[in-house]
Every structure is written in C-alpha cells, then in structure tokens.
Amino acid sequence: MQVTFPHMGYLNIPVSNMLTNLGVSVIEAPTITKKTIELGSLHSPEGVCLPYKINMGNFLEGIERGADTLVTVCGAGKCRQGFYNSVQKISLSEKTPLQFHTINASENLFINLYGFLRTVAPNASRFSIVENIAIAIKTLKALDALNNAKNYYGARAKNADTIISIYQSGISQLGQCHTFREINKKQAEITAQMQAIATGGANQPAKVGIIGELYLLLEPYVNHNIEDLLIKQGVEVKKFVYTGDWAYSQIILRTLGLYNEETDHLKQARPYLNYHVGGDGLKSVGTALWCTRHHYDGIIHLYPFGCMPEIVAQYALKNIAKDYNIPMLALSIDEHASDVGIITRLEAFIDCLKRKQK
Amino acid sequence: MQAFLGLDVGSVSTNIAVLNMQDQIIDNLYIRTQGRPIDAVQSGLREIKERNPELTIEGVGTTGSGRQLAGIVVGADSIKNEITAHAVAAIHIVPDVQTVIEIGGQDSKLIIIRNGIVTDFTMNTVCAAGTGSFLDQQAARLNIPIEAFGERAIESSASVRVAGRCAVFAESDMIHKQQTGHQIPDILNGLCQALVRNFLNNLGKGKELKGPIIFQGGVAANKGMKRAFEEALNCSVIVPTYHNVMGAIGAALLAKEQMAKLEQATVFHGFDIVDFTYTPRSFACDGCPNICEVIELKMNDQITAMWGDCCGKWSKSMPL
C-alpha cells in the first residue's frame, strides 16, 4: 500500500510525518506546478472549480509515482467540493484499481481521522495514533505561526526576501521535529531570526486582510504567492484561514463541544449576511467585517472562478466596502489566470492603499 | 529644456508625453504599437527628439502592458501599472475629478477618486467586448474608418438594441440587424449603448459614479461612446484634450514624483537608444515542470535583462 494525498500549502509536512511514523508508506505527489494543473484539467470536467482540478492533478502525479491508495478530506454539504471526492474516485478508478479513503470533516473529524489511521496502520497502537495526531496538529499550528510571523515581520523588514527565505527553510526544519518540545524550540528560534532582521521603524505598514475560499488562501502556488508579493511591497498581510487552527478546532474543540464554526461565523457576518451560503462564503463576509472594524486599510477577496458561495458572499462584501469606504479587490482565479493580470491589479491596489495612507 | 518623459506602451498604441518642470504638456505622441513594442518606442522617441532637439530628460516613467520591457529598453526611473498612471493623470488635469472611465485597446477600467485619492478601482476581467480593439474590428467589418465611427453613431436618433455581453455575440447580433434592414448609424449607436451597458454592469456594480466624470483612453475619441455614457449616467462626461495619452502623462508625473523621492540622477539611457539594436528572445526553462517562458533581452548584443521565470533562477542572475 502506497498512500498519496493532495497538496495544500504546507499540509503535506505533518501529514507525511504522521503517516510515516505510524508505519504507512507514503508517496508524496510532486509540488504543484504548471504540469499538475494541466494534467488535472485534462482529466476534469471543464466547469468544475480550480481546487478540484489541482487535487486531481496531485492524485494523477502521485499515481504516476506508484501510489495506489488515495486520501482526501471532504465535507459534504459545505460546497460542491464536498462531493468532488466521489466523482474523483469514479474517474480515477477507471484506469487502475485504487483504494480511496475520504475523511469526512462535516461529521466528527477526530473519529473519522482516527478510524482512517486504524485502517491504514493496523499495527500501530492506539496511543501512538493519538500521539501522532497531536504532534501533527502541533506542527501545523507552529507552521501557521511562522506564516503569520513572516507576514508580520516581512512587511517591516528592509529586505523581505531574507524573511521569506528564513521562513522557507523554517518550514522544512519544522518537518524534522518530532516532539512538542522540539517544535516549540524551533518555532521560537525561527521567529527570533525573523524578528532580528525586521528593524523597520515604528511606522505601521498598510494592513491588508485576505479573505475568501480556503484552498486558494492556503496554496501559494495557486494564489500566485500573493502574500509574498504584498509583503515585498511593505504591506502587512493577515489571513484568517489556517490549517492548524482549523484542525485544532475541528478535532479537539469540536469533539469536546467547545466550538461551533457555523454559529461563530453567523454572528460575525451579521447584518450583512444572515444565512449559510455554503463553502466559506459566510466566513468571508464575517472576516471582512472584522477587518473593517479593526481598521484594516484594504481587503483582498480570493476565490476560484465560478465558486458559488464566494459569488454570493460578494454581494454582501460590496455592501461592506461601500458602507465602510474600504478598498476591496476581488480576484477570481482559474487555470487560465495569468500572473501579469494579477500583478497589475495588486500593484494598483497597493498604490491605492499607500496613497490613501499619505 | 528640462523635461520628464512618460511612455505608455499598450496593446494597441504606444504613447509618449513630455512634461516640463511645471507639469505642462509640451509634446505628445500617439502611435500604433502593431505588436512591436520596442520598434514603437524607438520610433516614437526618435520623433520626439526631432521635434524637440533641446530636451534634457530629468526622469522617465513607463506604464501599460509593455511597461517592463519599455522600462528596460529606455532606462526608466519608475515603472508603474496603468491604473495608477491613469488616476494620477486624471487628477492632474481635472483636480476635483471623482470618477475616471478609461477604455483602452484591450482593457477597460473604472477608477473611483475621492478628495484627490484613489479609493477604489475595477478592471475588466473576463472579456474584451467593450474595448478599443473590438470597436476597431467592427469598424473595419463595416468598412468605416475608426475615426469616423463616432460621427456616424451620433447621426442616429433611433438606436438598435445590440447584445453587448460578448464580442462574438455582439458581432452576430449586429450582422443580424444589418440583414433585417437597420441603418448603419443606428446599429453603431446601438453598439455604443451596448458597450456602455456592459461596462457599467461589469465594472460599475455597487460603485457610486459621482461627477465630475472623466472619460479617457483611445476610445474616448469616439463621440458615440461619449454620448452613450452621458445618456446612461444622466450627466455630462468630460473628455480631456489629451485623452489618448493620459497614461503617458501619468507615467511622466510618477517619474517626477519618484525622482523627488530618490534624489539621484535619472537612469535614462538617453535618446541614443533609438539607434541601439534590441533583440528579445524567449526560451522554455527546463529546470522544473513549470516550464516557464523566460525572456532574454539583448541590447547591442549584450544580455541586459531576463524575466518571466517564477523561481528567479534567470532573473536573479542579472545585475539590476
């Protein structure tokens, strides 16, 4: 059994570690490139959204390398993506016999994840499964914190490139850590390195909130490295979707009954959107409102072309932008989106914020 | 005479503006790019030099889709996107402007300005139906010179409804209207109205379009489009004298701003560049499956710049 799974930002690091530690043999799909997207698009219906196509590309490239067991997370009912795994299963199994595991996030994620690990690692002890889940979540949270630190210090450093490369090497170093203590130590060490370089004055840089669809926010290749583009121009970036936070609240807090994502966002988005519109639509509106109330200078809305929940959210977002007079840039991305178009709009957006600040 | 130079290298036209130290426009030029941006820049600058032999250039700015290339070719102090450039120029010409409508060769923009600051903008994303090159095509198909398009459109008093959502459908709709016997001026007028509707639906949704409104870019020369905007917005629309070189004016103003900030001499290569030989070449990098199309520019047989790679393998190898 050779397991592979789709990429999403740095998610592959803890997932790979977790599976390998439990004795599962993992074949990681190559990082997303143009080839992944082309391959995925070729084997997908034209009208589906970009995340589906890229997941498909990851699976195909994983299979090319010898994988025969595919794992994906889905949440049926949240948006179309929730049903994509069933379609992918059918279309991929046509070619070669494959095992397809789906971890359902709309039910109890912990139980589902645990159950999945029991199946693929029958020899691992219960304790070591729970322990490895805990370490994976810890690693993800540390990676999130580093990403946050990069976006904070990068905007304040003379040379953001240095911060970005510290961050890049930090990601792989964290992948080598296997205990809570090691992770904490490494995280502190890398953050300190960034902090030492960010000597920018007391000036608060322009602050931008990035909102929108989860996958596009988390996968830098797909969002054209928007975070790095912004911090290189001296703009502080904050995003509100993190895999670690998500996994933590889904797996631990929700299991304990301490957290309910839906009611949380419903409260936040009021009065601009009072209904669940699927996917991350409600959350986009909620966080946009949070940003405006916390005096952000601008909001960037990222979503895959044709994403229904985000298109519904846009109606509310436009009203927020108008009422609060906050610049908002909407970027719809598909496999045809060119770098040039995005860079031009981003540049203009940053100019708009900076001139306003003056 | 000391001056700042602005170049706007667009998909359809290449424009140059020369501004004196008091920000007055002393010369401007509008030529077709014709798919050869470097040639267009060179011949444009040659003409500017011939008309103004006494110029000392204090700073150069480029903008437009060819800004990067043009910036390397001439040695630009500021390389800025066309949205900022158009906004800066509009504020310069009409200081209390609140809305800028810009329609160029391949894109259209709506810029919202309040108190002299850009507060919001949108740029067409999906389709080029409302832009200059589409109007060009339709004029050519009807055998009307593009310069006369607007004049013919305003002859009409009864418009014909044309589907303006998509360039292909608009064209077949127009052909259909011709076949059923509608007058050409009416069809042209209908097309203008359709494009304006399309512009306002696509870009103007949820935006407050307050006057004074400036209409600039190459398409602003079209009187039919101006009238259609005025009818749709129910207020008058200003088309500035230099409407077709506004991007270049903005680029020159941004260059001036940049020079004041940097306090160093311009990096302009001088008017000699009109006789340099530039040979761009592109190749596919095989370093990873991204297969980036890398562009290499040779100036007088020496590699001066490389770009287009997403990892920086080639572009970072250049001393900039």
Side-chain angles (χ1 to χ4, degrees):
Chain A
M1 185 181 61
Q2 308 282 352
V3 176
T4 196
F5 49 87
H7 279 283
M8 186 167 79
Y10 37 65
L11 187 64
N12 60 313
I13 294 171
V15 172
S16 255
N17 279 349
M18 176 175 74
L19 291 170
T20 318
N21 289 344
L22 291 170
V24 181
S25 145
V26 175
I27 291 194
E28 235 180 72
T31 39
I32 301 173
T33 60
K34 220 176 259 169
K35 190 188 153 213
T36 318
I37 299 182
E38 273 168 19
L39 198 64
S41 309
L42 192 66
H43 292 90
S44 308
E46 170 62 23
V48 295
C49 64
L50 189 60
Y52 176 97
K53 293 178 180 168
I54 298 173
N55 284 357
M56 198 69 175
N58 287 149
F59 281 144
L60 288 162
E61 285 188 313
I63 295 170
E64 233 168 62
R65 289 192 172 184
D68 55 10
T69 306
L70 314 182
V71 191
T72 176
V73 173
C74 88
K78 298 226 80 180
C79 79
R80 293 186 295 187
Q81 178 80 23
F83 303 102
Y84 282 173
N85 62 312
S86 330
V87 186
Q88 284 169 336
K89 192 169 165 180
I90 299 166
S91 86
L92 287 167
S93 307
E94 275 173 4
K95 294 192 192 80
T96 35
L98 289 167
Q99 286 261 21
F100 205 103
H101 292 278
T102 304
I103 301 166
N104 192 338
S106 52
E107 295 162 18
N108 190 318
L109 184 62
F110 176 74
I111 293 175
N112 283 325
L113 179 61
Y114 181 82
F116 159 71
L117 293 174
R118 291 286 297 181
T119 337
V120 292
N123 299 327
S125 71
R126 285 179 187 177
F127 174 75
S128 94
I129 290 183
V130 175
E131 188 193 17
N132 273 293
I133 293 180
I135 288 179
I137 295 177
K138 177 73 189 168
T139 314
L140 264 183
K141 289 201 83 167
L143 288 167
D144 290 347
L146 285 189
N147 182 289
N148 240 334
K150 175 202 71 177
N151 290 345
Y152 181 85
Y153 294 119
R156 288 167 171 79
K158 278 212 183 75
N159 189 355
D161 284 310
T162 331
I163 300 267
I164 294 168
S165 55
I166 294 176
Y167 167 70
Q168 297 292 8
S169 82
I171 291 181
S172 50
Q173 287 173 41
L174 261 178
Q176 317 294 325
C177 298
H178 295 288
T179 61
F180 271 62
R181 185 185 291 177
E182 272 174 38
I183 296 170
N184 280 336
K185 209 179 126 199
K186 197 38 108 195
Q187 183 190 332
E189 185 188 310
I190 296 162
T191 315
Q193 278 177 27
M194 292 191 204
Q195 197 176 7
I197 294 175
T199 46
N203 285 351
Q204 166 65 40
K207 233 157 102 177
V208 167
I210 311 190
I211 58 165
E213 194 271 338
L214 177 118
Y215 185 82
L216 262 94
L217 292 178
L218 292 178
E219 179 46 59
Y221 183 82
V222 179
N223 65 34
H224 299 255
N225 261 313
I226 191 167
E227 289 173 35
D228 292 354
L229 282 172
L230 285 164
I231 62 174
K232 278 184 196 164
Q233 306 261 351
V235 176
E236 189 182 330
V237 189
K238 194 148 165 94
K239 63 181 185 199
F240 299 86
V241 176
Y242 288 104
T243 13
D245 269 348
W246 182 80
Y248 178 71
S249 47
Q250 289 292 327
I251 294 180
I252 297 174
L253 297 180
R254 206 171 139 197
T255 308
L256 297 174
L258 293 174
Y259 173 75
N260 189 330
E261 194 180 18
E262 325 248 297
T263 40
D264 224 39
H265 295 151
L266 202 54
K267 207 164 92 230
Q268 215 179 22
R270 220 169 271 150
Y272 286 90
L273 189 61
N274 300 322
Y275 307 97
H276 285 287
V277 292
D280 304 301
L282 191 65
K283 179 165 185 177
S284 293
V285 176
T287 32
L289 208 52
W290 187 92
C291 289
T292 32
R293 290 187 174 142
H294 286 79
H295 309 291
Y296 273 58
D297 301 288
I299 293 171
I300 297 178
H301 183 210
L302 272 177
Y303 60 97
F305 177 68
C307 177
M308 187 274 289
E310 297 300 329
I311 291 170
V312 178
Q314 211 157 60
Y315 169 76
L317 291 174
K318 280 187 177 164
N319 286 338
I320 295 175
K322 201 171 148 197
D323 291 354
Y324 288 86
N325 192 21
I326 182 166
M328 191 173 304
L329 176 71
L331 294 173
S332 131
I333 293 177
D334 65 6
E335 67 271 32
H336 307 292
S338 79
D339 260 348
V340 188
I342 289 171
I343 291 170
T344 300
R345 286 172 177 82
L346 264 185
E347 227 186 72
F349 188 70
I350 296 167
D351 281 343
C352 166
L353 302 185
K354 287 194 172 162
R355 285 176 176 266
K356 209 173 168 186
Q357 247 190 352
K358 265 190 226 165
Chain B
M1 188 193 344
Q2 290 172 305
F4 285 94
L5 203 56
L7 286 103
D8 178 358
V9 182
S11 56
V12 173
S13 70
T14 293
N15 317 318
I16 303 179
V18 186
L19 266 61
N20 66 12
M21 301 310 273
Q22 287 74 45
D23 297 340
Q24 286 154 335
I25 297 136
I26 45 179
D27 199 359
N28 74 88
L29 185 70
Y30 178 95
I31 52 175
R32 296 257 166 175
T33 310
Q34 288 174 325
R36 293 184 199 84
I38 298 176
D39 293 351
V41 167
Q42 284 181 309
S43 58
L45 286 181
R46 186 175 293 126
E47 206 174 323
I48 291 284
K49 178 70 183 169
E50 275 163 16
R51 296 205 301 226
N52 313 276
E54 303 289 293
L55 285 185
T56 339
I57 301 301
E58 297 292 321
V60 181
T62 60
T63 187
S65 47
R67 62 184 180 277
Q68 217 69 39
L69 180 66
I72 291 162
V73 167
V74 299
D77 301 294
S78 107
I79 299 176
K80 272 280 180 193
N81 64 84
E82 49 272 37
I83 299 163
T84 308
H86 274 287
V88 167
I91 296 166
H92 178 63
I93 304 282
V94 181
D96 60 344
V97 61
Q98 301 217 68
T99 307
V100 181
I101 294 168
E102 197 273 340
I103 305 185
Q106 297 255 294
D107 60 28
S108 43
K109 313 168 190 74
L110 174 67
I111 308 170
I112 307 291
I113 297 170
R114 295 289 180 269
N115 306 319
I117 297 162
V118 177
T119 57
D120 200 3
F121 67 87
T122 41
M123 197 169 171
N124 63 328
T125 44
V126 200
C127 177
T131 58
S133 46
F134 177 61
L135 287 173
D136 251 358
Q137 262 175 32
Q138 293 315 311
R141 199 177 60 79
L142 296 169
N143 213 2
I144 297 168
I146 186 70
E147 294 76 16
F149 187 116
E151 294 290 350
R152 293 296 300 277
I154 53 173
E155 282 169 20
S156 152
S157 51
S159 69
V160 168
R161 205 167 166 93
V162 176
R165 161 73 69 198
C166 156
V168 178
F169 292 151
E171 180 167 341
S172 41
D173 210 26
M174 283 169 67
I175 294 173
H176 172 72
K177 294 281 150 74
Q178 272 174 282
Q179 316 288 47
T180 47
H182 288 284
Q183 291 292 305
I184 294 220
D186 292 344
I187 296 174
L188 292 179
N189 192 27
L191 180 64
C192 290
Q193 290 175 345
L195 298 186
V196 165
R197 243 190 340 262
N198 190 18
F199 180 95
L200 295 176
N201 282 342
N202 267 334
L203 303 181
K205 273 271 160 65
K207 307 256 181 289
E208 209 180 352
L209 309 188
K210 283 191 191 164
I213 300 176
I214 291 195
F215 180 20
Q216 58 195 42
V219 174
N222 188 321
K223 288 183 183 143
M225 288 295 285
K226 177 177 185 268
R227 185 175 77 173
F229 266 118
E230 288 180 332
E231 282 169 4
L233 294 167
N234 206 10
C235 71
S236 70
V237 166
I238 306 165
V239 175
T241 325
Y242 299 107
H243 62 86
N244 58 353
V245 294
M246 291 294 269
I249 294 172
L253 291 167
L254 286 165
K256 187 182 178 189
E257 196 177 283
Q258 178 76 358
M259 295 318 284
K261 203 159 48 177
L262 287 183
E263 293 174 339
Q264 63 184 34
T266 173
V267 295
F268 180 46
H269 298 328
F271 281 102
D272 295 344
I273 63 135
V274 301
D275 299 317
F276 286 5
T277 51
Y278 288 95
T279 27
R281 172 181 90 95
S282 67
F283 61 92
C285 169
D286 54 7
C288 81
N290 273 325
I291 319 176
C292 295
E293 289 157 7
V294 185
I295 297 151
E296 173 196 281
L297 182 70
K298 276 187 181 162
M299 185 169 84
N300 297 337
D301 290 328
Q302 214 174 356
I303 301 174
T304 45
M306 287 172 115
W307 65 92
D309 47 344
C310 52
C311 69
K313 176 178 166 185
W314 302 96
S315 49
K316 281 188 187 152
S317 70
M318 299 304 304
L320 269 181

